[in-house]
Amino acid sequence: MTKSRGVRGAAGGCAVASLVYLLARGLLTLLVSALMGRAPPGPSLAKPLGFSGVSTALFQLLIGLGAIVLTLVFLLKVTRLKTKDLRIMLPAPWSPGFCLPVFLGVANLANLAGALINRLTGSPATSEMLPSGGPELLMQFLALCVMPAIAEELLFRGAFQGLMRPCGSAAAIFAPALLFGVLHLDLTAFACGVFLGWLAERSGSILPGMLLHLVNNALAFLTIYLRYYAPAEVSFGVELFILLFFPAFGAWMICNARRQGFSFSAGLRPGVDVLTVFTSPVYCATVLFLVAYAAIFVH
């Protein structure tokens, strides 16, 4: 693999790393399932008979972390990416009071759009069953909320964005966000990836994005939990409030900030046009493959 600083090399590096991540996750899942089946014979990660919810969630957490660590090692060894490019540092002054509601507004507007698309296409809405409480619920929270918020930001806004940064902020934000979206096959993931990428560029750190990612995951976790265990009117009310309030409040925050001279493009690095990432054949082929893979095997 080339260590070129050009957009084709950087976008291709991100694309190949996405496939490495997918492969590592698959191999680790097979390894854990094989180990689970040895004592007693029969269980797997998909059918964890005889294993507690805590154990299963711990396995999921370790698989997710392991896949990202292996991908990071791959990028640091094979590409021009350096540890400093990950931007694990204290951010420049930023406004959580502005960024958090705007980010949640973007996320929930995308959720509404995604729900409409699912309704029009007849795709069923799916959500993971959560335990009612205890250590099992805590482990699920760590596996579904905390680990992705830290590890995914480290990989996508840290490593991928760091690899793309010499090409300019636009390409550095867009290319990882699109891979993030197609790996999840989710419009919300893409929209959130764009905002979190912008925040990483503006603040110079991935730490604010980790915080926002965690809050969004926690709200999604809460709505799923209420859907199973709260009265229907409570669950529906909370979910409707989250879906409608944050887009409206976020839009108001943006309008108010714009009147005071705020610009989303201020402080971003100039560079190539965002669509230039599609001049990389490896990137284009990977995006198409990931869409097909997610559509067939994940959904």
Side-chain angles (χ1 to χ4, degrees), residues 140-159:
Q140 286 285 4
F141 180 79
L142 294 175
L144 299 176
C145 297
V146 178
M147 186 278 292
I150 296 173
E152 289 181 354
E153 290 308 301
L154 187 59
L155 180 61
F156 288 93
R157 258 61 67 183

Side-chain angles (χ1 to χ4, degrees), residues 39 50 72 91 104 136 139 141 144 174 176 199 207 273 297:
L72 285 172
L104 293 177
E136 292 88 352
M139 282 303 305
F141 180 79
L144 299 176
F174 175 79
L199 182 57
L207 300 182
D273 182 84
F297 295 104

Side-chain angles (χ1 to χ4, degrees), residues 8-35:
R8 291 186 182 180
C14 292
V16 171
S18 297
L19 299 178
V20 170
Y21 167 74
L22 200 64
L23 177 63
R25 193 175 183 95
L27 291 176
L28 288 173
T29 300
L30 289 175
L31 175 62
V32 170
S33 294
L35 292 174

Side-chain angles (χ1 to χ4, degrees), residues 100-258:
L100 180 58
V102 172
F103 171 67
L104 293 177
V106 168
N108 285 285
L109 192 61
N111 283 336
L112 287 169
L116 178 60
I117 293 171
N118 287 340
R119 184 68 178 267
L120 293 175
T121 59
S123 301
T126 59
S127 60
E128 184 164 343
M129 181 68 181
L130 296 176
S132 59
E136 292 88 352
L137 184 64
L138 175 60
M139 282 303 305
Q140 286 285 4
F141 180 79
L142 294 175
L144 299 176
C145 297
V146 178
M147 186 278 292
I150 296 173
E152 289 181 354
E153 290 308 301
L154 187 59
L155 180 61
F156 288 93
R157 258 61 67 183
F160 286 10
Q161 202 155 319
L163 195 61
M164 294 294 304
R165 191 164 291 116
C167 304
S169 290
I173 292 168
F174 175 79
L178 183 59
L179 291 172
F180 187 59
V182 296
L183 274 168
H184 292 80
L185 198 62
D186 184 30
L187 177 62
T188 302
F190 170 68
C192 290
V194 170
F195 187 92
L196 294 173
W198 168 82
L199 182 57
E201 290 295 298
R202 282 291 295 264
S203 68
S205 170
I206 62 173
L207 300 182
M210 288 181 179
L211 175 62
L212 267 58
H213 196 151
L214 175 60
V215 172
N216 184 61
N217 285 2
L219 284 176
F221 190 87
L222 173 65
T223 58
I224 294 172
Y225 183 85
L226 293 177
R227 204 176 295 166
Y228 285 113
Y229 300 110
E233 58 273 15
V234 173
S235 171
F236 178 76
V238 171
E239 194 163 352
L240 187 64
F241 173 80
I242 292 173
L243 283 173
L244 298 181
F245 171 76
F246 284 110
F249 186 58
W252 178 83
M253 293 284 289
I254 291 174
C255 291
N256 187 55
R258 295 282 290 178

